[in-house]
Amino acid sequence: LSAALFPCPEAFSDEAPAIEAIQYRIKGYTYQQQGDLDKAIENYKKALELSPDFADCYNNMAYAIAEEGFSLDEAGELVKKAIELNPDGKFWYMDTLGMINLKQGHFDEAASNFEYSINNSDSCEAKDLDSIYRHLIEAYIMAGVNRN
């Protein structure tokens, strides 16, 4: 998520709401890192009210919702919206979708999404790629345990 903090500039049509939306997203991300998921989601929603085409914000909100463990179907829909708005960010978004799949018990689907992220992560920072590999290992373990 750290590399995904800065949105695609084409997601904004007016500068003032764009700046405010970015501020809300950063606040949301900060709250998310602190474990205050309710405040994170609240700030992501404010960002999306100002800029409804803010793909990375949909993804971050989906991740926060998935971390809560509630409304996993809603979280999945938010990721799909992010992919629709910004197909170039799909490799990041598939990691989020994989996390949602893990929580839903869809371990093979989760592994497939993490593999997609890894295989399409040309500009990914090593620490972020490491995180995706950890998610993939978790999916493999859970898929294996589920089969036994």
Side-chain angles (χ1 to χ4, degrees), residues 3-6 10 12 14 21 26 39 48-50 59 70 72 84 86 89 99-100 103 107 109 122-123 129 133 140:
L5 268 178
F6 301 100
E10 58 272 7
F12 304 104
D14 183 47
I26 291 170
K39 284 187 180 176
L48 290 169
E49 285 173 14
L50 293 165
N59 183 65
F70 301 112
L72 296 174
E84 176 187 317
N86 180 19
M99 291 301 297
I100 294 165
K103 290 191 177 277
F107 306 120
E109 192 174 345
D122 296 339
S123 63
L129 194 55
Y133 272 109
Y140 285 158

Side-chain angles (χ1 to χ4, degrees), residues 72 97-110 139 142-143 146:
L72 296 174
L97 193 55
M99 291 301 297
I100 294 165
N101 297 144
L102 276 179
K103 290 191 177 277
Q104 293 172 320
H106 304 171
F107 306 120
D108 290 330
E109 192 174 345
M142 295 307 294
N146 213 30

Side-chain angles (χ1 to χ4, degrees), residues 18-129:
I19 292 169
E20 194 173 355
I22 292 168
Q23 290 170 336
Y24 278 119
R25 179 168 178 241
I26 291 170
K27 284 181 188 178
Y29 183 79
T30 302
Y31 283 124
Q32 189 171 350
Q33 294 303 302
Q34 294 170 349
D36 193 340
L37 300 176
D38 289 336
K39 284 187 180 176
I41 292 166
E42 177 184 319
N43 278 277
Y44 292 142
K45 286 181 179 179
K46 288 179 182 177
L48 290 169
E49 285 173 14
L50 293 165
S51 184
D53 292 337
F54 198 165
D56 290 344
C57 197
Y58 282 102
N59 183 65
N60 284 66
M61 188 163 74
Y63 202 96
I65 290 170
E67 283 184 300
E68 280 188 323
F70 301 112
S71 306
L72 296 174
D73 289 337
E74 177 190 359
E77 291 303 314
L78 291 170
V79 175
K80 291 174 187 172
K81 178 75 172 176
I83 292 168
E84 176 187 317
L85 290 170
N86 180 19
D88 292 338
K90 185 175 180 179
F91 77 93
W92 281 114
Y93 308 151
M94 294 302 279
D95 177 55
T96 301
L97 193 55
M99 291 301 297
I100 294 165
N101 297 144
L102 276 179
K103 290 191 177 277
Q104 293 172 320
H106 304 171
F107 306 120
D108 290 330
E109 192 174 345
S112 177
N113 288 326
F114 296 136
E115 289 167 354
Y116 179 93
S117 289
I118 290 165
N119 292 331
N120 293 280
S121 59
D122 296 339
S123 63
C124 196
E125 293 182 27
K127 67 180 176 69
D128 295 318
L129 194 55

